[in-house]
Amino acid sequence: MSLPVLVVLVVFGIALSVAAVHFTGGTRTAMLAGADQALSRFAEDFPDEVAAKVQLTADARTAFLDIGHGRIGIVHSVGDCFLTRIVTAADVSVSNSDETNTILMRLADFTWKGGSFRFASAGDAQALLNALGAHQSNSTAEAA
């Protein structure tokens, strides 16, 4: 078999594989339907934890659950699945972003470094900052 024919077959095979993954839902991003779904997904991994309050991000990809004692539960979409974490103020670095109602969160966890989270209201962003210890030097007192 000639080299050009082999290259065409390989490229076509890879393109076909990528298309098959895409059309079968492999590139779909999971979304949280609401606080109830976030609570039930979190309870699958942490059945003994009870959340007092749930705050969803504006894009419905992440939920922050206040589980008391200075701890926050996180449900975050990765691809078509969700990851869950429990963090404390010592585990994260939080600060405001230049964008409205947005906070930046960096985790000490090497498996997920955090990200930028935009909320529907400044009150939701501020509540998360308060729960994670807005007194930290890299945090500010007001989510804008």
Side-chain angles (χ1 to χ4, degrees), residues 124-140:
D124 287 345
Q126 185 61 46
L128 183 59
L129 284 172
N130 292 342
L132 288 172
H135 59 278
Q136 295 178 8
S137 61
N138 62 345
S139 300
T140 58

Side-chain angles (χ1 to χ4, degrees), residues 31-45:
M31 305 292 272
L32 291 163
D36 290 339
Q37 183 185 9
L39 287 168
S40 80
R41 180 58 191 92
F42 188 76
E44 288 178 25
D45 291 340

Side-chain angles (χ1 to χ4, degrees), residues 43-131:
E44 288 178 25
D45 291 340
F46 302 100
D48 296 335
E49 300 294 340
V50 178
K53 185 176 181 184
V54 177
Q55 296 165 317
L56 290 170
T57 56
D59 63 2
R61 291 188 57 216
T62 307
F64 296 93
L65 296 79
D66 183 0
I67 54 177
H69 307 297
R71 300 176 310 147
I72 297 292
I74 302 173
V75 178
H76 177 71
S77 70
V78 176
D80 64 344
C81 300
F82 293 101
L83 68 79
T84 56
R85 296 286 186 272
I86 294 178
V87 297
T88 64
D91 301 325
V92 298
S93 164
V94 292
S95 63
N96 286 321
S97 170
D98 293 336
E99 297 178 33
T100 305
N101 303 337
T102 303
I103 64 165
L104 301 173
M105 179 184 294
R106 298 288 171 246
L107 280 74
D109 183 350
F110 74 92
T111 62
W112 183 55
K113 292 295 183 184
S116 175
F117 303 99
R118 182 183 166 117
F119 294 89
S121 73
D124 287 345
Q126 185 61 46
L128 183 59
L129 284 172
N130 292 342

